[in-house]
Amino acid sequence: MKSCDKMGHREVSMAQMTPQVSRLLEQAMALSVEEREALAESLISNLDGKVDEGVLAAWDTEIAKRIAELDSGKAKTISWSEVRRRNLAKLPHAH
């Protein structure tokens, strides 16, 4: 089920993603901030005009904020292996 965050953006739960999309997301999250920004921009621009300009402006603001936080040291990063380990620990284990 889709929900709205405090900015009104729709979020897609991991349960709604196909295995292929989930793998793509995992790979995308391993990219640098700049690479993820370029990927997101490319995906958004290929939605055939279905993007709300307010959403684009909000993303631009959020991206600038996050880059500033990384540059200033306010935001701390963790390695992809740690992110992966934490996420895998949340998944139910098949028996």
Side-chain angles (χ1 to χ4, degrees):
M1 179 175 202
K2 291 183 182 180
S3 62
C4 291
D5 66 13
K6 64 185 175 188
M7 295 178 67
H9 297 117
R10 289 188 303 169
E11 296 176 351
V12 177
S13 73
M14 291 299 285
Q16 291 175 303
M17 290 189 180
T18 64
Q20 295 84 358
V21 173
S22 184
R23 281 193 299 274
L24 284 172
L25 178 59
E26 184 177 309
Q27 292 171 342
M29 294 309 294
L31 300 172
S32 71
V33 172
E34 294 81 10
E35 290 169 324
R36 284 181 288 169
E37 180 181 2
L39 177 60
E41 187 175 312
S42 178
L43 290 170
I44 289 169
S45 69
N46 285 298
L47 291 176
D48 298 325
K50 295 179 183 176
V51 176
D52 182 314
E53 289 301 318
V55 171
L56 290 177
W59 270 116
D60 286 344
T61 300
E62 183 66 20
I63 290 166
K65 180 186 106 184
R66 290 183 186 197
I67 290 171
E69 288 174 349
L70 286 167
D71 289 346
S72 72
K74 181 179 178 183
K76 302 294 181 202
T77 60
I78 58 175
S79 70
W80 169 243
S81 60
E82 178 64 14
V83 171
R84 187 171 191 278
R85 185 194 65 75
R86 289 180 188 181
N87 286 333
L88 288 174
K90 294 176 186 176
L91 295 175
H93 293 77
H95 297 283

